[in-house]
Structures are given as C-alpha cells and as structure tokens.
Amino acid sequence: MDLTYTPEEEEFRARLRQWLGKALPTLPAKPSPDDWPGRRAYDLGWQRMLDDAGYAGVHWDASPTTRLIFLEETERAGAPYVGANFVGLLHAGPTIAAEGTAEQRARWLPPILRGEEVWCQGFSEPDAGSDLAALRTRACRDGDDYVVSGSKIWTSHAEVADWCELLVRTDPSAPKHRGITWLAMPMDAPGVTVRPLRTLAGSAEFAEVFLDEVRVPVANRVGEENDGWRVTMVTLSFERGTAFVGEVVACRRVLGELARTARENGRWDDPVVRRRLGRLNAEFRALWRLTQWNVSEAEANRGVPGVGGSVFKLRYSHARQELYDTAAGVLGPDCLDLDRPWTLDRLSSLSYTIAAGTSQIQRTIVAERILGLPKGR
Amino acid sequence: MRFQLTDDQRALRDGVRQLLARRFDGAALRAAVAAAGPGGAVLDRALWRELGAAGFFALRLPEEAGGVGLGLPEAALVFEEAGRALLPGPLIATHLAAGVVPGAATGEVVVAAVDGGLVEWWAQADVVRGEPAEGTGLDGGVREGGVRERGAPDGGAPERGVREGGAPEGFVSEGFVSEGVVPVRSVDPLTPLHRVSGASGRSSGSASPGPAPNPVAVLLTAAEQLGTAARVCELAVQHARTREQFGQPIGAFQAVKHLCADMLVRTEVARPAVYAAAVTAGPADIAAARLLADEAALRNTRDCLQVHGGMGFTWESEVHLHLKRAWVRAQRGGGVTESEEALAAELVD
Ligand SMILES: Cc1cc2nc3c(=O)[nH]c(=O)nc-3n(C[C@H](O)[C@H](O)[C@H](O)COP(=O)(O)OP(=O)(O)OC[C@H]3O[C@@H](n4cnc5c(N)ncnc54)[C@H](O)[C@@H]3O)c2cc1C
C-alpha cells in the first residue's frame, strides 16, 4: 500500500499547478445560473483552454492516477467545473470511445475534447426512471434512418446540447432489456422539442424532451441494434465509477470554510456543531481514501470502473447532504437566505440520492451484484 | 500511488487467516466461551506462544532485534484478521510491549495495559502497563514506573487469584494502582475487565481528559473493528441466503438486502480509512479511521443481529460475541468525542 506519487506524477502535478496559476486569472467572469448561452460558452471556453494546454483528454487517455491528480488540482485551484461538458466528457464520450466504430470516434470525440459540442443524456422517461429498461420511446427503421417518437424527462443541459445519447426501443416484442438501442441524436433535428423544467433550486437545470418522428441516421447507432442495454451498462459504470471524484475535494474545501465560518460567528462554541464537523472531516477523509483505493484498483484493471462505484456513490451522496445540513446549522437563520452560497448548494445536494440511480436502487445493486443476494419475486 | 495490498501483504493476510482458522475456529471460539466461568475467560497460553512464534507480537520489531521488521500497514492487516476471528487476549498491549517488556515479543509473557481506567485481562497478564504519558509518540511509551511486573513469567499456567479490591497476588502495587483494582463483570464473555482507579484512570465522565491514548493502539483497535465489520457482514449475507420465509430466502426481501448493502458500504468505506492511517500514521488519519471503524463495527453487529432474527438474540449464535467485543473495543483509546473534537480542531488549524 503506497500513497506516494511517482516523480512523473509529481511533475505532472507541478506543471498543472503552474499552468492553472497562469490560466485561471484569464477566465471571463462567471455567467449567472440562468444565462444558459453564457454558461455554455463559459464551459466550452474552459474546455478549449484545457485543450490548448494539452489537458483536454485527461479523463480518457490519462492513467486513473493522473486523472485523480488533475481533478484534485483543478478543484483546489478553483477551476471551473465540467458543467455542460459533463455528459460528453464523462459519459457519452467514454462510451463512444469504448463501443463506437473508428468513424464514430473520429466524428464525435474531437469536438467533445475541443470544447465545441455539448452532449446531454436522454435515458429517463416519464414512466421509466429507476426501471430504466421499461423505456418506451420507439424507434422504427425506415431505410437508412430510425424514426423516433416518444418523450424523455430530466434531461440535464438539454437546452444547450448539440447531441443526445438516446436510449430507444427498437424491438417492443423482445424482453425489456433486449429491445433497446443506443443512438446519438442531433438536438437540432426536426421533431425535437425541449421544454425546460424548473428545479426546486429555482433554475432550469433539466428539461423534458419531446420526440415527434425524429429521423436519426442508422450510422448514429453505437453498438448493435437491440444491444443498447449492454452499452448502457458501460455508460453507467463510468457515471457511477469516476464522475464524482473531483467533488470530494470540493467537499473537503467547503468543510474547512464551514469550520472557519463557525469560528467567526460563534457556533463553534457549541460542541454539537464541532462534533458534527469533526465527524464530517472523518467522513470526507475516508471518501478521499476510498477514491484513492478505487483509482489504484482501476489502474490495475486497465481503467474500467467496477460495481464498487455504487459503494462510493451511496456513501458520498449521503455525506454531501449531511455536509450542507451541517452548513445550515452553522449559518443559523442565514440558512434561509438564498443569497448565501450554501443555501443553494444545500438544495442542489438533495438531488444526489436520486440522480444517476437512487440510493435504494444502488443498495439493491450492491446487495445483488456484490453480495450475491437473490433477486426477489 | 498504489493504494492496494501488495502481493506480500495479501500473502500475510491469507497466512494469518489460515493460522487462525486452524487454531481458533468457530468450535474453539465456542469452547473458549464455555470455559469462561464466572471467574472470566481463560487465556490459552499455548496459543499465545504460537502467535508469538508466528510473529504476531514481534511483527514491527526490527530484524536485528529479533523481530519480523514489518510496518504498521502489515500490523493493521494482522489485527484485522484477529478482529475477524474474535481472537481473545490483550493482543494489542502485548504487541506494543514487544521490544520493551522482555518476553512479550515471543509470546512467553502476556502484557496487558490500562486504557481509559480499564484493563483487559488484568488477572492473567504477567505485566500490566500504565497509560502512556503525553507525547510519547508511536512507541507505546511506558511511563516511568508504569510497568508492574508480577512474579517471574514462567510461561506455564497463568497465575490466578485476584485479591478483593486489590492487585493480583505478587503484583507490586504502587503508583497508579494505589487505590486498587476492581474486577468488573464484563459484558463480553471473552474479555475479562478490571477497573483501575487512581492517578492515571481515564474513567468516563472524569473532568480531566487524562493522557492521550497511544495512537498505534487506537489504529490497531480500528483494524480489529474493521475485521469485525467485515465478518458480520459475511455472516448476515450467509444467513440471508439460506434462511427461508414466505417461500424464499430472506435475502430476496429488499428490506434485508438493503441492511446487508449498508453493512458492506460501512465496511468498504472504513477499510481505506484504516489502511491509509496505517500508511501515514498521521493523527487525523488515525482519528478518522477510529470513527469510521467504530461506526462500522457497532452498526454492522446490530444489523447482523437483526438479519438473524430470534437466532441472533441467543447465547448460542456467535453474533452477540462480535457485538460485545465491538462494544469493548469502542471504549478504548479515549472517547469518540475526543476523536471528533480532534478532527474538528484539525479543520481550523
Ligand atoms: C438533478 C437530476 C438530473 C438528472 N439528469 C438526468 C439526465 O440528464 N438524463 C437522464 O436520463 N436522467 C436524468 N435524471 C433522472 C434520474 O436518473 C432519475 O430521476 C432516477 O433514476 C429516478 O427515477 P424517477 O425519478 O423516475 O423515480 P422513481 O423511479 O419513480 O422512484 C421514486 C422512488 O421510488 C423508489 N423506487 C423505485 N423503484 C424501486 C425499487 N425497485 N426498489 C426500491 N425503491 C424503488 C426510488 O428509490 C425513489 O425513492 C436526473 C435526475 C435528477 C434529480
């Protein structure tokens, strides 16, 4: 068990840190959360800066340890979050890289790396949430196209996306897991309607997407027809395995700020507040160690994350909610003030036990796939 | 960074697991409980010497000093196995005494230690050490006059007989034991306990926090708790797979499944915390390991009991032994509050 980094890794860290020191002050002002075109431009602009400096593909082709260092350093330096690049960089991109043809990789991967195209994820439907395989959006073959009709919901960043990784049903007569296909759908295709949904935090982070006879070329299919569920599992393992790594560093920073705020406003004198902060320190230290453990394991398994991501996600999503509940305790009545940053973060944290598979679903995955408990009737 | 067990570490863990499966299996555990009459559990001296021969106590002593020359990470793995197997005896105290108290390293001498005003295995120990003074660091520091030897350790049958309210026969009683040593009716049938009052007692609720707990003892206790957390998760899963109700294994019911999943999550989050603390030996890492491992052991033993239903509430099932040992270990190394306070203070340092 070795927690030290190699000289090459340390050199990577030092170079990155130096670059961040120079690059971050040149960033434009952060757009407001409601300014979607502004947010898109800002997030893509950051990705282009990364690309120019040679860091664009760090999520894909760097070793897991290098990626960990990248996430750690960018977060420490206060660099922008992946934002609108989330699905492209951490989700659709890795899936296309793993499952796509050479042509598909050449078409879709460079614009993601270059910060030119935004992707969104069209998996969930009104009647297919946790039971994702129950999805009903239909795709019928017509010549060289699929004709797609149905609706998707909770699609994050749909308003500003160029592409959608879309799950459709291509064989309604097959068992539900066997009739699904993974398509890349252009969001500007005729028949696509996006209707923003307001989240409880007040902003429109996700949307409903209505599909009315949208023509998607067969060439946009990743994987075989009706093999989309397997492709999806590849995608989900990326989402659950590595997508949240950088946030642990962020949580540790927030925790430090929280403790200092408590010292300033006097809440620190309350032993209950102090003990909660101490326990959270233990919690996020452990989650960081678990991250290092998982990254080292992935390093040994050539980068493909395992179901262990569910263990991390379960604990992390709960810890993050506890962090902001504790922040509310530190803020006192100020926790009701939407202009205090932690108030919005507290609201956002409520989605962590729901998005990307609810905690209940994750527990079932842990119990059945890791512990080998039987499926219920 | 390669934060995974090395091949050698894996082999060490497997070796210890095999040794304990051979020498202290479920039947031996039950026999030890049965043999523990009202006078408390009896230490198996032959097993103790075997553990000594296997390097259990001399693990971290340098090879020049006759030790195995391994480090804290290896010690954590070994004590995790001891925790899994519910191995009885003052293992950590004797391990920490290796190289300090003659005979401890080889398992000829059994060493107990005062911790939080309690001593585990007082009556059967050959040597009892006081609490380390402030700032004695990682060597399990013996406070001047803190070692009290009783008789000459002959390696034979343990010397028994506690004088009512006093020290064991032949025990040079002075200093920290001046006010006497009182036997406690221990909740854990396999951990006899004595209360030590007097100068260095850290009895719970006392105003002064007493000397800082030995960080290595805290870490190795966390490793034992981790072993328990993992073991009871396995026991619960085994039971959930085989016990049937309503025509299916109870493990097919989601309520049971989710209990088991939470047990695994607690274990697998505590594990890297404990291992990392063993690698860095940093005080904050150790405090975090302690909190996570205690939580995992205490809550997992409860959930394991719940999954076992009425069977879990019996004396016959081994579930209660894990639960009670976890309770005993949770009392070591100062209070949970102190660990939480230390980690809070670290945030604003
Ligand atoms: C902020 C946010 C962003 C999102 N972004 C996207 C996106 O970009 N693209 C996308 O496709 N989706 C997205 N989602 C959707 C998300 O994946 C789903 O919300 C999630 O999978 C749950 O589905 P549901 O909302 O239909 O809830 P339901 O499945 O209806 O669940 C409701 C409740 O029932 C419980 N439940 C359901 N089934 C079971 C079961 N078998 N056992 C036990 N309990 C069960 C759930 O745990 C939950 O508590 C997003 C969600 C959020 C909150």
Side-chain angles (χ1 to χ4, degrees), chain A residues 104-163:
Chain A
Q104 290 173 333
R105 290 200 297 268
R107 165 61 190 89
W108 286 313
L109 299 186
I112 292 174
L113 290 179
R114 187 61 204 145
E116 287 164 352
E117 289 181 346
V118 169
W119 284 69
C120 65
Q121 179 191 34
F123 283 15
S124 305
E125 295 181 6
D127 290 327
S130 298
D131 187 8
L132 181 59
L135 62 93
R136 289 205 301 244
T137 292
R138 258 310 254 136
C140 301
R141 190 81 178 252
D142 181 25
D144 290 337
D145 290 336
Y146 287 106
V147 179
V148 183
S149 291
S151 62
K152 295 288 172 178
I153 195 167
W154 320 126
T155 316
S156 305
H157 301 123
E159 283 171 273
V160 293
D162 305 289
W163 293 91

Coordinates of all heavy atoms in Angstrom, one line a residue, chain A residues 104-163:
Chain A
Q104 N -17.2 6.7 -35.9 CA -17.9 7.4 -34.9 C -17.0 8.1 -33.9 O -17.2 9.2 -33.5 CB -18.8 6.4 -34.1 CG -19.9 5.9 -35.0 CD -20.7 4.7 -34.3 OE1 -20.2 4.0 -33.5 NE2 -22.0 4.6 -34.7
R105 N -15.9 7.4 -33.6 CA -14.9 8.1 -32.7 C -14.4 9.3 -33.3 O -14.2 10.4 -32.7 CB -13.8 7.1 -32.3 CG -14.3 6.0 -31.4 CD -13.2 5.3 -30.7 NE -12.2 4.7 -31.6 CZ -12.3 3.4 -32.0 NH1 -13.3 2.6 -31.5 NH2 -11.4 2.9 -32.8
A106 N -14.1 9.2 -34.6 CA -13.5 10.4 -35.3 C -14.5 11.5 -35.4 O -14.1 12.7 -35.4 CB -13.0 10.0 -36.7
R107 N -15.8 11.2 -35.6 CA -16.8 12.2 -35.7 C -17.1 12.9 -34.4 O -17.3 14.2 -34.4 CB -18.1 11.6 -36.3 CG -19.3 12.5 -36.2 CD -19.2 13.8 -37.0 NE -20.2 14.8 -36.7 CZ -20.2 15.7 -35.7 NH1 -19.2 15.8 -34.9 NH2 -21.2 16.6 -35.6
W108 N -17.2 12.2 -33.3 CA -17.8 12.8 -32.1 C -16.8 13.1 -31.0 O -17.0 14.0 -30.2 CB -18.9 11.8 -31.5 CG -20.1 11.8 -32.3 CD1 -20.8 12.9 -32.7 CD2 -20.9 10.7 -32.7 NE1 -21.9 12.5 -33.4 CE2 -22.0 11.2 -33.4 CE3 -20.7 9.3 -32.6 CZ2 -23.0 10.3 -34.0 CZ3 -21.7 8.5 -33.2 CH2 -22.8 9.0 -33.9
L109 N -15.7 12.4 -31.0 CA -14.8 12.6 -29.9 C -14.0 13.9 -30.0 O -13.9 14.7 -29.0 CB -13.8 11.4 -29.7 CG -14.5 10.1 -29.4 CD1 -13.5 9.0 -29.1 CD2 -15.5 10.2 -28.2
P110 N -13.4 14.3 -31.1 CA -12.6 15.5 -31.2 C -13.4 16.8 -30.7 O -12.9 17.6 -30.0 CB -12.1 15.6 -32.6 CG -12.1 14.2 -33.1 CD -13.3 13.5 -32.4
P111 N -14.7 16.9 -31.2 CA -15.4 18.1 -30.8 C -15.7 18.2 -29.3 O -15.9 19.3 -28.7 CB -16.7 18.1 -31.6 CG -16.5 17.1 -32.7 CD -15.5 16.2 -32.2
I112 N -15.8 17.0 -28.7 CA -16.0 17.0 -27.2 C -14.7 17.5 -26.6 O -14.8 18.4 -25.7 CB -16.3 15.6 -26.7 CG1 -17.7 15.1 -27.2 CG2 -16.3 15.5 -25.2 CD1 -18.1 13.7 -26.9
L113 N -13.6 17.0 -27.0 CA -12.3 17.4 -26.4 C -12.0 18.8 -26.7 O -11.5 19.5 -25.9 CB -11.2 16.5 -27.0 CG -11.2 15.0 -26.5 CD1 -10.0 14.3 -27.2 CD2 -11.1 14.9 -25.0
R114 N -12.4 19.3 -27.9 CA -12.1 20.6 -28.3 C -13.0 21.7 -27.7 O -12.8 22.9 -27.9 CB -12.2 20.6 -29.9 CG -11.7 21.8 -30.6 CD -10.3 22.2 -30.4 NE -10.1 23.6 -30.6 CZ -9.2 24.3 -29.9 NH1 -8.5 23.8 -29.0 NH2 -9.1 25.6 -30.2
G115 N -14.1 21.2 -27.0 CA -15.0 22.2 -26.4 C -15.8 22.8 -27.5 O -16.1 24.1 -27.4
E116 N -16.3 22.0 -28.4 CA -17.2 22.6 -29.5 C -18.6 22.1 -29.4 O -19.5 22.7 -29.9 CB -16.5 22.3 -30.9 CG -15.3 23.1 -31.1 CD -14.4 22.5 -32.3 OE1 -14.7 21.4 -32.7 OE2 -13.5 23.2 -32.6
E117 N -18.8 20.9 -28.8 CA -20.1 20.3 -28.8 C -20.5 19.9 -27.4 O -19.7 19.3 -26.7 CB -20.2 19.2 -29.8 CG -20.2 19.7 -31.3 CD -20.3 18.6 -32.3 OE1 -20.1 17.4 -32.0 OE2 -20.5 18.9 -33.5
V118 N -21.8 20.1 -27.1 CA -22.3 19.7 -25.8 C -23.3 18.5 -26.0 O -24.0 18.5 -27.0 CB -23.1 20.9 -25.2 CG1 -23.9 20.4 -24.0 CG2 -22.1 22.0 -24.8
W119 N -23.1 17.6 -25.1 CA -24.0 16.4 -25.1 C -24.9 16.4 -23.9 O -24.6 16.9 -22.9 CB -23.1 15.1 -25.0 CG -22.5 14.8 -26.3 CD1 -21.5 15.5 -26.9 CD2 -22.8 13.7 -27.2 NE1 -21.1 14.9 -28.1 CE2 -21.9 13.7 -28.3 CE3 -23.7 12.6 -27.2 CZ2 -21.9 12.8 -29.3 CZ3 -23.7 11.7 -28.2 CH2 -22.8 11.8 -29.3
C120 N -26.1 15.7 -24.1 CA -27.0 15.5 -23.0 C -27.4 14.0 -23.0 O -27.1 13.3 -23.9 CB -28.2 16.4 -23.0 SG -29.3 16.1 -24.4
Q121 N -28.0 13.6 -21.9 CA -28.3 12.2 -21.7 C -29.9 12.0 -21.7 O -30.5 12.4 -20.8 CB -27.8 11.7 -20.4 CG -28.0 10.3 -20.1 CD -27.7 10.0 -18.6 OE1 -27.9 10.8 -17.7 NE2 -27.3 8.7 -18.4
G122 N -30.4 11.3 -22.8 CA -31.8 11.1 -22.9 C -32.1 9.6 -22.5 O -32.3 8.8 -23.4
F123 N -32.0 9.3 -21.2 CA -32.3 8.0 -20.8 C -33.7 7.9 -20.1 O -34.6 7.2 -20.6 CB -31.3 7.5 -19.8 CG -29.9 7.1 -20.3 CD1 -29.6 7.4 -21.6 CD2 -29.0 6.3 -19.5 CE1 -28.3 7.0 -22.1 CE2 -27.8 5.9 -20.1 CZ -27.5 6.3 -21.3
S124 N -33.9 8.7 -19.1 CA -35.1 8.6 -18.3 C -36.3 9.1 -19.1 O -36.2 10.0 -19.9 CB -35.0 9.5 -17.0 OG -33.9 9.1 -16.3
E125 N -37.4 8.4 -18.7 CA -38.7 8.8 -19.4 C -39.7 9.0 -18.2 O -39.5 8.5 -17.1 CB -39.2 7.7 -20.3 CG -38.2 7.6 -21.5 CD -38.7 6.5 -22.5 OE1 -39.8 6.0 -22.3 OE2 -38.0 6.2 -23.5
P126 N -40.9 9.6 -18.6 CA -41.9 9.7 -17.5 C -42.3 8.4 -16.8 O -42.4 8.4 -15.6 CB -43.1 10.3 -18.3 CG -42.5 11.0 -19.4 CD -41.3 10.3 -19.8
D127 N -42.3 7.3 -17.6 CA -42.7 6.0 -17.0 C -41.5 5.1 -16.9 O -41.7 3.9 -16.6 CB -43.8 5.4 -17.8 CG -45.1 6.1 -17.7 OD1 -45.3 6.7 -16.6 OD2 -45.9 6.2 -18.6
A128 N -40.3 5.6 -17.1 CA -39.1 4.8 -16.9 C -38.0 5.5 -16.2 O -37.2 6.3 -16.8 CB -38.6 4.3 -18.3
G129 N -38.0 5.4 -14.9 CA -37.0 6.1 -14.1 C -36.0 5.1 -13.5 O -35.1 4.7 -14.2
S130 N -36.3 4.7 -12.3 CA -35.5 3.6 -11.8 C -35.5 2.4 -12.6 O -34.5 1.7 -12.9 CB -36.0 3.2 -10.4 OG -35.9 4.3 -9.5
D131 N -36.7 2.1 -13.2 CA -36.9 0.9 -14.1 C -36.6 1.4 -15.5 O -37.5 1.5 -16.4 CB -38.3 0.4 -14.0 CG -38.5 -0.9 -14.7 OD1 -37.5 -1.4 -15.2 OD2 -39.7 -1.3 -14.8
L132 N -35.3 1.8 -15.7 CA -34.9 2.4 -16.9 C -35.2 1.5 -18.2 O -35.6 2.0 -19.2 CB -33.4 2.7 -16.9 CG -32.8 3.4 -18.1 CD1 -33.5 4.7 -18.4 CD2 -31.3 3.6 -17.8
A133 N -35.1 0.2 -18.0 CA -35.3 -0.7 -19.1 C -36.8 -0.8 -19.5 O -37.1 -1.4 -20.6 CB -34.9 -2.1 -18.7
A134 N -37.7 -0.1 -18.8 CA -39.1 -0.1 -19.2 C -39.3 1.1 -20.2 O -40.4 1.3 -20.6 CB -40.0 0.2 -18.0
L135 N -38.3 1.7 -20.7 CA -38.4 2.9 -21.6 C -39.2 2.5 -22.8 O -39.1 1.4 -23.3 CB -37.0 3.4 -21.9 CG -36.0 2.6 -22.7 CD1 -36.2 2.8 -24.2 CD2 -34.6 2.9 -22.2
R136 N -40.0 3.5 -23.3 CA -40.9 3.2 -24.4 C -40.7 4.0 -25.7 O -41.4 3.8 -26.7 CB -42.3 3.4 -23.9 CG -42.8 2.4 -22.9 CD -44.3 2.3 -22.9 NE -44.9 3.6 -22.6 CZ -45.7 3.8 -21.5 NH1 -45.9 2.9 -20.7 NH2 -46.2 5.0 -21.3
T137 N -39.8 5.0 -25.6 CA -39.5 5.8 -26.8 C -39.2 4.8 -28.0 O -38.3 4.1 -27.9 CB -38.4 6.8 -26.6 OG1 -38.9 7.7 -25.6 CG2 -38.0 7.5 -27.8
R138 N -40.0 5.0 -29.0 CA -40.0 4.0 -30.1 C -39.0 4.4 -31.2 O -39.0 5.6 -31.6 CB -41.4 3.8 -30.7 CG -42.2 2.7 -30.4 CD -41.6 1.3 -30.5 NE -42.1 0.6 -31.6 CZ -41.3 -0.1 -32.4 NH1 -40.0 -0.2 -32.3 NH2 -41.9 -0.8 -33.4
A139 N -38.3 3.5 -31.8 CA -37.5 3.8 -33.0 C -37.8 2.7 -34.0 O -37.6 1.6 -33.8 CB -36.0 3.9 -32.7
C140 N -38.3 3.2 -35.2 CA -38.6 2.2 -36.3 C -37.7 2.5 -37.4 O -37.4 3.6 -37.8 CB -40.1 2.4 -36.8 SG -41.3 2.2 -35.4
R141 N -37.2 1.4 -37.9 CA -36.2 1.5 -39.1 C -37.0 2.0 -40.3 O -38.0 1.4 -40.6 CB -35.6 0.1 -39.3 CG -34.5 0.1 -40.2 CD -33.2 0.5 -39.5 NE -32.1 0.3 -40.5 CZ -31.2 -0.6 -40.5 NH1 -31.2 -1.4 -39.5 NH2 -30.3 -0.7 -41.4
D142 N -36.4 3.0 -41.0 CA -37.0 3.4 -42.3 C -35.8 3.7 -43.2 O -35.3 4.8 -43.1 CB -37.9 4.6 -42.1 CG -38.6 5.1 -43.4 OD1 -38.7 4.2 -44.3 OD2 -38.9 6.3 -43.5
G143 N -35.4 2.8 -44.0 CA -34.3 3.0 -44.9 C -33.0 3.1 -44.1 O -32.7 2.3 -43.2
D144 N -32.3 4.2 -44.3 CA -31.1 4.4 -43.5 C -31.3 5.2 -42.2 O -30.3 5.6 -41.6 CB -30.0 5.2 -44.4 CG -29.5 4.3 -45.6 OD1 -29.6 3.1 -45.4 OD2 -29.1 4.9 -46.6
D145 N -32.5 5.4 -41.9 CA -32.8 6.2 -40.7 C -33.6 5.3 -39.7 O -34.3 4.4 -40.1 CB -33.7 7.4 -41.0 CG -32.9 8.5 -41.8 OD1 -31.7 8.5 -41.7 OD2 -33.6 9.2 -42.5
Y146 N -33.5 5.7 -38.4 CA -34.5 5.4 -37.4 C -35.5 6.5 -37.3 O -35.1 7.7 -37.3 CB -33.9 5.1 -36.1 CG -33.1 3.8 -36.0 CD1 -31.7 3.9 -35.9 CD2 -33.8 2.6 -35.9 CE1 -31.0 2.7 -35.8 CE2 -33.0 1.4 -35.8 CZ -31.7 1.5 -35.8 OH -31.0 0.3 -35.7
V147 N -36.8 6.2 -37.2 CA -37.8 7.3 -36.9 C -38.2 7.2 -35.5 O -38.7 6.1 -35.1 CB -39.0 7.2 -37.9 CG1 -40.0 8.3 -37.6 CG2 -38.5 7.2 -39.3
V148 N -37.9 8.2 -34.7 CA -38.0 8.1 -33.2 C -39.2 9.0 -32.7 O -39.3 10.2 -33.1 CB -36.7 8.6 -32.6 CG1 -36.8 8.4 -31.1 CG2 -35.5 7.8 -33.1
S149 N -40.0 8.4 -31.9 CA -41.1 9.1 -31.3 C -41.3 8.7 -29.8 O -41.2 7.5 -29.5 CB -42.5 8.8 -32.0 OG -42.5 9.4 -33.3
G150 N -41.5 9.7 -29.0 CA -41.7 9.4 -27.6 C -41.2 10.6 -26.8 O -41.2 11.7 -27.3
S151 N -41.0 10.5 -25.5 CA -40.5 11.6 -24.7 C -39.5 11.2 -23.6 O -39.6 10.1 -23.1 CB -41.7 12.4 -24.1 OG -42.4 11.5 -23.2
K152 N -38.6 12.1 -23.3 CA -37.6 11.9 -22.3 C -37.8 13.0 -21.3 O -38.4 14.0 -21.5 CB -36.2 12.1 -22.9 CG -35.9 11.0 -24.0 CD -35.7 9.6 -23.3 CE -35.5 8.5 -24.2 NZ -35.3 7.2 -23.5
I153 N -37.3 12.7 -20.1 CA -37.5 13.7 -19.0 C -36.3 13.8 -18.1 O -35.5 12.8 -18.1 CB -38.8 13.4 -18.2 CG1 -39.2 14.6 -17.3 CG2 -38.6 12.1 -17.3 CD1 -40.6 14.4 -16.7
W154 N -36.1 14.9 -17.4 CA -35.0 15.1 -16.5 C -33.7 15.3 -17.3 O -32.6 15.0 -16.8 CB -34.8 14.1 -15.4 CG -36.0 13.5 -14.8 CD1 -36.4 12.2 -14.7 CD2 -37.1 14.2 -14.2 NE1 -37.6 12.1 -14.1 CE2 -38.0 13.3 -13.7 CE3 -37.3 15.6 -13.9 CZ2 -39.2 13.7 -13.0 CZ3 -38.5 16.0 -13.3 CH2 -39.4 15.0 -12.8
T155 N -33.8 15.6 -18.6 CA -32.6 15.7 -19.4 C -31.8 17.0 -19.1 O -32.2 18.1 -19.5 CB -33.0 15.7 -20.9 OG1 -34.0 14.7 -21.0 CG2 -31.8 15.3 -21.7
S156 N -30.7 16.8 -18.3 CA -29.9 17.9 -17.9 C -29.2 18.6 -19.2 O -28.8 17.8 -20.1 CB -28.8 17.5 -17.0 OG -29.3 16.8 -15.8
H157 N -29.1 19.9 -19.2 CA -28.4 20.6 -20.2 C -29.1 20.5 -21.6 O -28.4 20.8 -22.6 CB -26.9 20.2 -20.3 CG -26.2 20.5 -19.1 ND1 -25.5 19.5 -18.4 CD2 -26.0 21.6 -18.3 CE1 -24.9 20.0 -17.4 NE2 -25.2 21.2 -17.3
A158 N -30.3 20.0 -21.7 CA -30.9 19.7 -23.0 C -31.0 21.0 -23.8 O -30.8 21.0 -25.0 CB -32.3 19.1 -22.8
E159 N -31.2 22.1 -23.1 CA -31.4 23.4 -23.9 C -30.2 23.8 -24.7 O -30.4 24.5 -25.7 CB -31.7 24.5 -22.9 CG -33.1 24.5 -22.3 CD -33.2 25.5 -21.2 OE1 -32.9 25.1 -20.1 OE2 -33.5 26.6 -21.5
V160 N -29.1 23.4 -24.2 CA -27.9 23.9 -24.9 C -27.1 22.8 -25.5 O -25.9 23.0 -26.0 CB -26.9 24.7 -23.9 CG1 -27.6 26.0 -23.5 CG2 -26.5 23.8 -22.7
A161 N -27.7 21.6 -25.6 CA -26.9 20.5 -26.1 C -27.0 20.4 -27.7 O -28.0 20.7 -28.3 CB -27.5 19.2 -25.5
D162 N -25.9 19.9 -28.3 CA -25.9 19.6 -29.7 C -26.3 18.2 -30.0 O -26.9 17.9 -31.0 CB -24.5 19.8 -30.2 CG -24.0 21.2 -29.9 OD1 -24.5 22.2 -30.5 OD2 -23.1 21.4 -29.0
W163 N -26.0 17.3 -29.0 CA -26.2 15.9 -29.2 C -26.8 15.3 -28.0 O -26.6 15.8 -26.9 CB -24.9 15.1 -29.5 CG -24.3 15.5 -30.8 CD1 -23.4 16.5 -31.0 CD2 -24.6 14.9 -32.1 NE1 -23.0 16.6 -32.3 CE2 -23.8 15.6 -33.0 CE3 -25.4 13.9 -32.5 CZ2 -23.8 15.3 -34.4 CZ3 -25.4 13.5 -33.8 CH2 -24.6 14.2 -34.8

